[in-house]
Amino acid sequence: MNKRFPLLAIILWIALGLGLRLAWLGQQSLWYDEGVTWLLAEMGLPELVQWTAADIQPPLYYLLAWLAVRAYGDSEWALRFPSVLFNILTLPALHTLARRLFQVQPPGKKTGLLTTTYYLLPAILFTCSPLMVYYSQEARMYTLLVGEATLAGYLLLKILAPRPAARLLPAYALLAAAALYTHYFAAFLLIAHALYAVFILWQRGWPKALVKPLLLTAGLIALLYLPWCSILLSRLGDDPSYWPGALKLNEALRKILISFSAGETVFEQTGRRLALGYLAILAGGGVWAIINRQVPQSAGQQTPNNRPSPFISFTAHRSLFLLLWLLIPPALILLLSSQSPKFNPRYTMLSYPAFVLILTVALTQFLKTPGSSRLASSMSHFILFYASRFLLTLCLLFICSTSFFSLCNWFTDPRFAKDDFKALAQFVRERQTPDETVLLSSGHVFPVWAYYYGWQNWTPLPQMERLNVRRVTDLSIAAEIAAAIKGKGGVWLVRWQDEVIDPNGVVPFWLNRIGRRPLDAGDFWGVGLEHWRLEANKTNLLSQSPIEQPAPNQGYNFANRVDLLGLTQLNDNEIALFWVPRQPLPQDLLLTLNLTDEAGFGWAEETAVGRPGAYEYPPSRWPAGQVVLTRHQLAWRPGTPPGSYLIEVGLGQVNPPGQNFEGWDILDEQGRPQRRTARLGPIRLSHPVPVQDIDPATEPLVDFRPVVAIRRITLSAPTAEPGDRLLLTLLWQAGTANQTDPAIAFELLDAANQTFDLAFCPTSGCNFNLSRRQPGEMVLGQYWLDTPPNAAPGPATLRLHFSHNAVQNRVFPLGHLEILATERHFTPPDNVNMPLQADFSGQTTLLGANCSTWTGAGCRAAPGQSITLTLYWRADALLGQNYTIFTHLLGPAETVIVNADHAPTKPTQGWVTGEIITDPITLVVPATLSPGQYSLEVGLYDAAEPTRRLRLTNGDSRVILPQPLTVK
């Protein structure tokens, strides 16, 4: 074999690597991090050092970029070229390190092609690495750090060789210090080196000739880094660019493996499969090494193709060196990130050369030919030889295919492109008018914006040099917006990382109030753009309250923890709620959101349950005493007609974890629970919500055309007891003759042929105004139907009466209903522990209550014990609506300890005059409640308006049970 072949091969791979890294180097836009590199390279040296002293990265790379910019300009190509250069220079360093690690010992005098492969394979893998190509085309310090780690590893092996090269210690110290000045995480690499050095020294009996120089080298590194050490210590734990939290370890490890295997340009689902392939190669190499356990082949031993087979003298020491290099830095980085989940796989790139070298070890196991292994004694050398070559070929094809796939994504797939600030800035410059300005949300994006747009006519919101997650935009930003738009007629809003700085969309909220969006602002990869033309008569809204629908009594107080101040409707499908925390809130706080109307009908497709506000800004981060805006999408039921509606909002937690949702009580000024949902509004729906799941060409269920047709009929239950309330939903489709509204009425024909009128309303009074609908439009109508208390048991028919000047009095059966037999009691109970005669407005009387734990001394319970109170009511008249019964256990100053509000087992609207209703209710005595006597209060209120209560004849709104609960 020509001895010049390895050198020519390395030159070839350097040329190939240079070509891959220079391809379209300046084509893509700079993104934010690269914009920071440009900004620092434009500064003076004192300002550059001062900036990095307050940043999370030390200054060495930026100083080199500063020199490069003055050498050949600040174009995208020029800013990225140093990264290419650092990565290309790493290639020969990695080849040299591989020769040091892999001491290939051929049996013959000539090395041969296979021997050379051991040396070249790491350089080949590194050259075609998608990860290395990607970061070679980024104006950041990562390729410099990889090169320093590679060269430092080589120097360490030379220094700790059996014949130590102590002359290299100063070079190692300089390189280690340079790595520390490049990236703070280089310290973790030096820890791995120190562990390896301690192991070698221990193996050799701590030779003084080596221990002392190594200690001096460590001192020299500390001395060289001493000027920056105080800055490093001040930065520990002070990174405001990410919020606190728990790192997801399995996710972080998965991302590291995907990044090392396929780079940054594959989707995670695909990356997982490719990473598993690399794991299979590593495992396969280990298995093959075990199968081929052998002693070194004797000289002259021949393989099936009559060529000598080399082997690697790869000692345990070198294995430990690679494992420490691969594992220690990522492990320490993950440990550092455990309480602040700011993690990116690129932080672990200084361990990537170790991954390449270990992958080389696994692949080269397939180059071995069985010698004295047990398997070789029972199988043909010929079979094993070609099986090993076949497996090696498969592995190399997989690696090449993975690299090709990932590199093609990088060069051709726009979904993996960098954030396109270049195109966005050009779009704005070409279209903005002289009276328009630009706002940046968030403000720290200004370096890359200034690179492409210039330094004039824009305002960062808020102003900050670098990302600080503690500076979340609040409603006070209106003052900065007012100053920025003074004298302007239009605004362009550039949005990048606004999900962190403006997670609840406060800036767009204010701009929507004072302007309108005349056109589509364009679509740009990785960065948002919006455009408003300002309305001069509305700019004063920036100094006014943003709450259009305030809550009554200055807000709803949820459990003395947070107040809901009111809402503002943004459009038909979105509202903003306004909160003021009274104290720190839990992270797992949940919000329920429902849509209703004055009649109590529900208009939400389903009750929305989720975190209030944005995912990146949980309630645990809301500042106490500060107004917080949250935005919420409205999930309207298909067919909801235009009109006025109300919002019902609840707060609570899943308590204990994994169990049922427990809502927080809304308290009055005295701290007494009133209800658990806040009612806000009204809000307006301007257009009917489309119905998508019905084909208009199909025949309707009920045909009253040309006026109207009914497309769907839904009854809330197929059975009912006398007195029950049912919900009937009809999906109407407007016809052509709908200039005036029809009148509709519902009746029930029971099994005894009795006819009962259930409801009557013109459609304009039933949340359905037919005369305003376009022909073919479909809208819902909802109707409460109260089953008559004296309806006969058995099958009944529900009928609709329809009257219109174009369709005279038509009757149509809507469906069948089974009236269930019910037992009504009219005799008061004989034995009541706590007798009463509490008359509520002449409509119902509370006759008394029984206690399940009653003794001769009264109602008694222990802390943590459940008790059942059975209330006995007598209906004195037909109640016109359904009431909620409240039962409260009261503490000192009549504070509510236990709230047991509930709907009675039989709705109050179905109570028949003179009927006795038995109403059981369970209360759980708090486990921490102190011994003593506690009063019990009972009353009734309208759930739609909790302050509307049935009052006693003496004017009070509640009755205190005659016997207290005694807690033992």
Side-chain angles (χ1 to χ4, degrees), residues 720-726 746-750 754-759 784-793 796-798 817 819-820 822 824 878 906 909-912 915:
E721 292 186 18
D724 286 352
R725 167 167 280 191
L726 300 174
F746 302 98
E747 67 179 19
L748 184 73
L749 181 64
D750 69 3
Q754 301 179 90
T755 301
F756 301 93
D757 293 330
L758 301 182
W784 292 122
L785 304 181
D786 296 315
T787 310
N790 51 350
T797 302
L798 180 64
L817 178 67
I819 304 298
L820 303 177
T822 182
R824 299 187 184 276
L878 293 177
K906 181 183 293 185
Q909 208 163 18
W911 294 2
V912 176
E915 181 182 3

Side-chain angles (χ1 to χ4, degrees), residues 669-844:
E669 294 179 357
Q670 288 74 39
R672 298 167 58 89
Q674 300 298 300
R675 58 186 299 178
R676 288 189 172 178
T677 58
R679 181 168 285 196
L680 300 171
I683 63 171
R684 296 288 304 176
L685 180 65
S686 58
H687 302 285
V689 180
V691 178
Q692 305 289 348
D693 60 344
I694 290 184
D695 184 0
T698 60
E699 288 299 315
L701 298 177
V702 181
D703 192 353
F704 295 135
R705 291 180 290 191
V707 180
V708 73
I710 300 178
R711 290 284 180 179
R712 182 181 291 154
I713 303 171
T714 306
L715 193 61
S716 57
T719 62
E721 292 186 18
D724 286 352
R725 167 167 280 191
L726 300 174
L727 175 63
L728 175 67
T729 303
L730 302 178
L731 181 61
W732 302 87
Q733 184 176 32
T736 56
N738 61 345
Q739 290 77 20
T740 59
D741 291 324
I744 59 175
F746 302 98
E747 67 179 19
L748 184 73
L749 181 64
D750 69 3
N753 286 325
Q754 301 179 90
T755 301
F756 301 93
D757 293 330
L758 301 182
F760 168 82
C761 56
T763 50
S764 58
C766 296
N767 231 325
F768 171 53
N769 194 329
L770 181 63
S771 63
R772 298 182 182 179
R773 306 280 66 78
Q774 296 295 322
E777 280 187 348
M778 288 182 280
V779 292
L780 283 177
Q782 298 193 76
Y783 313 94
W784 292 122
L785 304 181
D786 296 315
T787 310
N790 51 350
T797 302
L798 180 64
R799 300 193 299 198
L800 167 68
H801 284 258
F802 185 90
S803 181
H804 187 269
N805 54 14
V807 178
Q808 294 300 319
N809 198 18
R810 296 274 299 276
V811 180
F812 186 85
L814 293 178
H816 298 287
L817 178 67
E818 182 72 20
I819 304 298
L820 303 177
T822 182
E823 292 187 6
R824 299 187 184 276
H825 300 279
F826 295 90
T827 302
D830 294 330
N831 299 316
V832 178
N833 302 147
M834 294 176 276
L836 276 169
Q837 284 292 325
D839 182 356
F840 286 88
S841 303
Q843 297 189 60
T844 184

Side-chain angles (χ1 to χ4, degrees), residues 81-131:
F81 180 72
S83 296
V84 173
L85 186 61
F86 299 143
N87 204 237
I88 287 300
L89 292 177
T90 304
L91 269 171
L94 185 65
H95 173 71
T96 305
L97 175 59
R99 293 182 66 90
R100 166 61 52 178
L101 279 170
F102 307 146
Q103 296 180 0
V104 181
Q105 300 178 12
K109 296 181 179 181
K110 295 183 179 181
T111 60
L113 178 61
L114 296 181
T115 304
T116 306
T117 303
Y118 286 102
Y119 295 148
L120 294 181
L121 193 53
I124 295 171
L125 296 174
F126 192 87
T127 299
C128 301
S129 165
L131 183 68

Side-chain angles (χ1 to χ4, degrees), residues 313-635:
S313 177
F314 192 64
T315 65
H317 292 183
R318 296 187 179 94
S319 299
L320 178 65
F321 171 77
L322 288 180
L323 289 174
L324 289 174
W325 186 1
L326 178 68
L327 300 178
I328 293 298
L332 294 177
I333 292 170
L334 292 173
L335 180 64
L336 186 66
S337 304
S338 59
Q339 297 304 315
S340 177
K342 180 185 180 182
F343 176 79
N344 194 295
R346 64 174 176 261
Y347 301 156
T348 64
M349 278 175 53
L350 74 171
S351 292
Y352 182 73
F355 177 79
V356 169
L357 293 167
I358 291 175
L359 185 61
T360 299
V361 173
L363 288 170
T364 53
Q365 298 306 309
F366 298 112
L367 287 175
K368 292 181 179 180
T369 301
S372 59
S373 69
R374 294 181 180 179
L375 187 64
S377 63
S378 60
M379 295 183 64
S380 168
H381 283 274
F382 181 87
I383 296 175
L384 289 178
F385 177 85
Y386 285 104
S388 66
R389 299 311 188 264
F390 176 73
L391 290 174
L392 176 62
T393 303
L394 285 181
C395 293
L396 292 177
L397 285 175
F398 173 79
I399 293 173
C400 292
S401 300
T402 298
S403 298
F404 181 79
F405 172 74
S406 188
L407 290 173
C408 284
N409 286 343
W410 172 231
F411 290 123
T412 63
D413 193 333
R415 294 174 296 177
F416 298 101
K418 298 178 185 292
D419 301 333
D420 201 358
F421 287 95
K422 179 194 290 188
L424 185 145
Q426 182 179 352
F427 183 91
V428 173
R429 284 199 308 268
E430 292 174 351
R431 288 164 178 79
Q432 73 177 141
T433 59
D435 68 335
E436 292 181 335
T437 189
V438 177
L439 303 179
L440 305 180
S441 176
S442 65
H444 72 287
V445 76
F446 77 92
V448 66
W449 179 252
Y451 179 84
Y452 286 112
Y453 184 84
W455 289 97
Q456 301 298 320
N457 195 31
W458 51 266
T459 303
L461 296 176
Q463 293 193 18
M464 54 182 173
E465 288 187 342
R466 54 187 62 82
L467 178 61
N468 185 346
V469 298
R470 306 184 189 109
R471 294 190 59 186
V472 175
T473 302
D474 58 37
L475 290 164
S476 66
I477 200 71
E480 295 183 48
I481 295 175
I485 66 171
K486 187 176 182 180
K488 301 295 183 180
V491 168
W492 296 83
L493 178 65
V494 178
R495 302 177 67 179
W496 190 79
Q497 282 194 345
D498 53 298
E499 72 277 5
V500 177
I501 294 301
D502 189 11
N504 293 327
V506 174
V507 174
F509 168 81
W510 281 119
L511 294 178
N512 280 330
R513 289 179 64 81
I514 63 174
R516 55 185 175 82
R517 304 189 191 195
L519 51 84
D520 182 8
D523 185 19
F524 303 92
W525 182 255
V527 58
L529 180 66
E530 297 177 69
H531 181 220
W532 284 266
R533 288 299 300 175
L534 303 178
E535 300 179 52
N537 61 336
K538 291 186 176 181
T539 54
N540 62 328
L541 293 176
L542 291 171
S543 59
Q544 299 179 10
S545 172
I547 305 175
E548 292 180 351
Q549 300 287 343
N553 302 322
Q554 299 181 342
Y556 289 104
N557 172 9
F558 282 91
N560 275 331
R561 304 185 75 173
V562 61
D563 291 337
L564 175 58
L565 302 184
L567 70 80
T568 292
Q569 185 174 4
L570 306 180
N571 52 56
D572 275 0
N573 300 310
E574 189 178 14
I575 61 168
L577 299 177
F578 299 87
W579 311 83
V580 176
R582 294 182 174 219
Q583 56 180 287
L585 298 174
Q587 183 167 351
D588 61 348
L589 182 63
L590 293 177
L591 174 142
T592 63
L593 188 68
N594 216 338
L595 296 160
T596 185
D597 59 17
E598 293 288 356
F601 295 117
W603 294 98
E605 193 165 14
E606 61 180 1
T607 300
V609 180
R611 176 183 289 177
Y615 178 82
E616 293 83 1
Y617 193 47
S620 58
R621 296 183 61 210
W622 296 1
Q626 179 177 296
V627 180
V628 176
L629 173 151
T630 60
R631 303 171 75 135
H632 306 272
Q633 296 294 319
L634 303 180

Side-chain angles (χ1 to χ4, degrees), residues 857-868:
C859 187
R860 303 172 69 83
Q865 184 178 356
S866 296
I867 64 171
T868 299

Side-chain angles (χ1 to χ4, degrees), residues 235-312:
R235 303 307 302 161
L236 289 176
D238 185 32
D239 181 4
S241 63
Y242 214 80
W243 46 82
L247 181 71
K248 297 178 180 178
L249 182 60
N250 59 339
E251 180 179 335
L253 292 173
R254 183 175 66 249
K255 289 184 176 180
I256 292 174
L257 186 57
I258 291 173
S259 178
F260 280 17
S261 302
E264 302 283 355
T265 52
V266 294
F267 294 114
E268 183 165 349
Q269 187 174 6
T270 303
R272 288 182 184 181
R273 300 191 187 99
L274 298 178
L276 288 175
Y278 275 81
L279 285 177
I281 292 174
L282 294 172
V287 170
W288 197 259
I290 294 172
I291 289 175
N292 290 305
R293 286 195 307 269
Q294 58 185 51
V295 296
Q297 294 172 342
S298 59
Q301 183 176 349
Q302 301 296 304
T303 62
N305 56 1
N306 293 321
R307 283 185 288 183
S309 176
F311 71 93
I312 292 181

